[in-house]
Amino acid sequence: DTAVSQTPKYLVTQMGNDKSIKCEQNLGHDTMYWYKQDSKKFLKIMFSYNNKELIINETVPNRFSPKSPDKAHLNLHINSLELGDSAVYFCASSQPRTAGYGYTFGSGTRLTVV
Amino acid sequence: DAKTTQPPSMDCAEGRAANLPCNHSTISGNEYVYWYRQIHSQGPQYIIHGLKNNETNEMASLIITEDRKSSTLILPHATLRDTAVYYCIVRVANAGKSTFGDGTTLTVKP
């Protein structure tokens, strides 16, 4: 049973399209995150939700809109895709109230914008 | 979150101990040290964490200096499958985010 699952694993799309990436965790964690890893392999946080409430919103274009229907799901919708959005997007979850809990990451979604 | 400094790359012979250093001289008293690794094309994987005492689990050991300004991750018997990028992160336990730096690329050689 995968703890943090993302779909799709690969996504190839044209510039200007709108696409969504889904994430689900079955760990009972309260907090979920979206990270972006670009071609230089730098991992950068984008968003964080705690129990469906947005708590972190880094400097991300407003074309990116996260949605958390419940604490087990955090989806990422991207409007008007640009070439620079090509990257691997990782979802993660954690249980911050418990001191020392690490993050559990999904296996990533490789987005290619052509 | 405190900034960390890690060497960009290290090599290790298979079967030997791999010692990965991390400097975090601006760490605060309530910040933990976390280690993750990312094997090629996979999501980062949590390895171990500690506050001030040394820690050991089935994957690795974490040695934190007494002044907490640096730490070392030890993989006691490195295998080829341990080849990965290793990230050292310091953050408050209940903080909302972990900031990943460039990490250390560990290459385990036969």
Side-chain angles (χ1 to χ4, degrees):
Chain A
D1 225 15
T2 305
V4 179
S5 58
Q6 298 178 226
T7 54
K9 191 170 175 62
Y10 299 97
L11 184 54
V12 181
T13 187
Q14 291 187 324
M15 284 176 57
N17 283 351
D18 303 338
K19 290 293 177 186
S20 292
I21 306 172
K22 295 187 176 183
C23 180
E24 176 182 4
Q25 55 97 1
N26 62 7
L27 298 167
H29 288 169
D30 286 340
T31 304
M32 297 184 70
Y33 311 82
W34 277 109
Y35 277 81
K36 178 181 179 181
Q37 188 167 42
D38 58 25
S39 57
K40 294 182 180 177
K41 304 297 184 185
F42 186 62
L43 263 168
K44 185 175 169 61
I45 190 166
M46 301 173 68
F47 300 104
S48 174
Y49 270 73
N50 185 65
N51 217 351
K52 301 193 297 177
E53 184 179 336
L54 180 67
I55 56 172
I56 293 174
N57 184 351
E58 296 292 296
T59 309
V60 178
N62 57 15
R63 298 182 295 104
F64 290 78
S65 53
K67 292 273 193 313
S68 182
D70 55 61
K71 75 173 193 177
H73 295 83
L74 180 61
N75 304 322
L76 184 64
H77 188 75
I78 314 170
N79 289 325
S80 303
L81 277 155
E82 301 177 356
L83 293 177
D85 298 333
S86 295
V88 182
Y89 292 83
F90 289 102
C91 177
S93 72
S94 72
Q95 189 67 316
R97 285 198 305 272
T98 305
Y101 255 72
Y103 288 16
T104 302
F105 281 83
S107 56
T109 296
R110 184 174 293 277
L111 172 65
T112 303
V113 183
V114 297
Chain B
D1 293 342
K3 184 179 165 63
T4 61
T5 305
Q6 299 176 253
S9 64
M10 293 181 67
D11 290 343
C12 178
E14 189 178 17
R16 298 285 205 163
N19 298 300
L20 293 95
C22 180
N23 285 323
H24 32 80
S25 58
T26 59
I27 192 170
S28 301
N30 61 347
E31 288 183 313
Y32 284 71
V33 179
Y34 290 80
W35 283 83
Y36 291 81
R37 72 180 181 185
Q38 186 174 24
I39 296 170
H40 181 61
S41 298
Q42 297 181 21
Q45 176 191 23
Y46 164 80
I47 301 173
I48 199 168
H49 72 276
L51 182 62
K52 52 184 178 181
N53 297 324
N54 298 336
E55 302 287 346
T56 296
N57 62 20
E58 65 279 2
M59 290 182 68
S61 295
L62 174 61
I63 308 298
I64 303 174
T65 57
E66 195 168 336
D67 63 8
R68 303 208 324 125
K69 292 182 186 299
S70 65
S71 60
T72 301
L73 179 75
I74 301 172
L75 308 178
H77 305 288
T79 70
L80 299 178
R81 286 175 295 183
D82 292 322
T83 292
V85 179
Y86 287 78
Y87 296 98
C88 167
I89 294 160
V90 292
R91 70 173 178 94
V92 176
N94 295 328
K97 66 178 181 180
S98 287
T99 301
F100 288 78
D102 293 332
T104 296
T105 299
L106 175 69
T107 303
V108 180
K109 299 184 174 179

